[in-house]
Amino acid sequence: RVRGFVVSVTPGAELWRHGVTPAVMRGLSLAFSVIARLCAVEASEEETSETCSKALGFNESSGPKDRSYQDLTFCDEHHERTCCERNHTKQVRSLFAGFSHERSGRCAQMARLAFCSVCDGDVGTGSKAQENLVILCPSFCRLWFESCAEDFFAPGTGGAGSVAPCGPSALVCSPLSEITKDSAAFCQGAGFQVAELEDGDEPCYDGVPASKMRGKAPRAPYSPPKRKEPTIWSRAMDAWRRGSRRCINFLEDNAPGFAIAIVAATVAWNLIARG
């Protein structure tokens, strides 16, 4: 302290005072840079080592990709890290549409999350799947079952606990809780596997997208589909439709005038004929 002022020592000067020279500081900076690069390379190699599962119907020559704002049509929560392509999301939507027929909102939402699990990045690589079946965590399966317990289903043909949508062709429909009390049997009957333990050695899907835990995957290359040039026939039909529409609009706008003109012409014709 000099004349009431505090003399501060800069970090560099403080290090120098303890024997750390500028050369040593440059060496430390270079070492940290090398370590950071090695970590980045290791993370990149881990990303590229993951490949999508052929058993689940995915392209095994590629890993999960970020396909957000591209051409996927369903399962938005997984678009940032997924093996699904456009045709896969269309298949999932079709499965969900059949299963969610006349369901309560809560049951339908849980069914959507369950069927969309196939588009999860970790499921897509097979780490949360067995062969071609998604492995659900017991808590997720139980929550799905409880959400649909009062909804009506028809007994399925896949064994005990399996259910089918209660559609127009179903002969007998009952609340799910009357068909089965076993949540695992319900999920297995819907086409899923259920892990034996919540936190066991077997990874399972708990409803949290892989992108929330691991971040976005590398961006997938994408080119928006080009608009097809109209043919001569389609241009002619468009012109005919536009002309017809204008003609109809003209007649509708001038209908009272045409009616008066027709009446006047008829009266005039009768007067001339009598004369």
Side-chain angles (χ1 to χ4, degrees):
R1 186 181 299 273
V2 180
R3 295 183 180 179
F5 294 95
V6 176
V7 179
S8 61
V9 181
T10 63
E14 183 71 18
L15 290 172
W16 177 82
R17 194 179 61 159
H18 287 283
V20 180
T21 64
V24 174
M25 292 177 62
R26 286 195 296 271
L28 289 173
S29 176
L30 179 60
F32 285 133
S33 177
V34 171
I35 292 172
R37 288 177 180 272
L38 289 175
C39 290
V41 170
E42 183 178 353
S44 176
E45 288 178 351
E46 182 180 353
E47 289 283 354
T48 55
S49 66
E50 289 186 321
T51 57
C52 297
S53 170
K54 183 179 180 180
L56 290 168
F58 298 128
N59 180 6
E60 62 180 337
S61 65
S62 174
K65 292 288 186 290
D66 174 12
R67 299 183 184 276
S68 52
Y69 306 106
Q70 293 187 0
D71 60 347
L72 303 188
T73 62
F74 203 46
C75 308
D76 295 11
E77 66 271 23
H78 299 299
H79 288 189
E80 292 182 348
R81 192 179 191 88
T82 185
C83 287
C84 280
E85 299 179 10
R86 179 181 175 85
N87 61 315
H88 299 117
T89 53
K90 290 175 67 175
Q91 292 171 5
V92 174
R93 183 190 287 273
S94 178
L95 287 172
F96 167 70
F99 195 88
S100 63
H101 180 69
E102 295 186 359
R103 297 285 169 267
S104 64
R106 189 181 177 199
C107 178
Q109 174 63 7
M110 285 302 301
R112 191 193 72 80
L113 292 176
F115 284 109
C116 280
S117 63
V118 71
C119 288
D120 176 76
D122 289 342
V123 170
T125 58
S127 64
K128 295 182 179 179
Q130 183 176 6
E131 297 297 331
N132 62 337
L133 298 179
V134 179
I135 302 175
L136 299 180
C137 292
S139 60
F140 182 90
C141 174
R142 187 165 51 251
L143 181 60
W144 184 15
F145 175 81
E146 292 171 354
S147 300
C148 299
E150 302 304 319
D151 288 79
F152 280 75
F153 289 85
T157 59
S162 65
V163 296
C166 185
S169 60
L171 298 177
V172 179
C173 292
S174 306
L176 176 61
S177 57
E178 294 182 8
I179 298 176
T180 180
K181 303 289 185 182
D182 187 350
S183 60
F186 163 69
C187 294
Q188 289 167 355
F192 296 86
Q193 288 283 6
V194 181
E196 293 185 5
L197 299 174
E198 188 73 26
D199 299 317
D201 296 333
E202 184 180 38
C204 56
Y205 181 73
D206 59 0
V208 180
S211 59
K212 300 297 183 185
M213 303 298 294
R214 305 178 58 190
K216 293 183 180 181
R219 186 69 174 168
Y222 175 70
S223 298
K226 295 181 179 179
R227 185 178 179 182
K228 294 183 179 179
E229 290 294 329
T231 63
I232 296 176
W233 173 252
S234 62
R235 286 198 294 265
M237 290 299 295
D238 288 340
W240 181 83
R241 282 194 290 266
R242 288 194 297 270
S244 299
R245 186 71 261 176
R246 284 196 295 267
C247 182
I248 292 172
N249 290 338
F250 177 78
L251 292 175
E252 290 176 349
D253 294 340
N254 297 279
F258 282 122
I260 294 172
I262 291 172
V263 171
T266 303
V267 171
W269 177 263
N270 289 333
L271 290 176
I272 292 172
R274 290 176 183 178

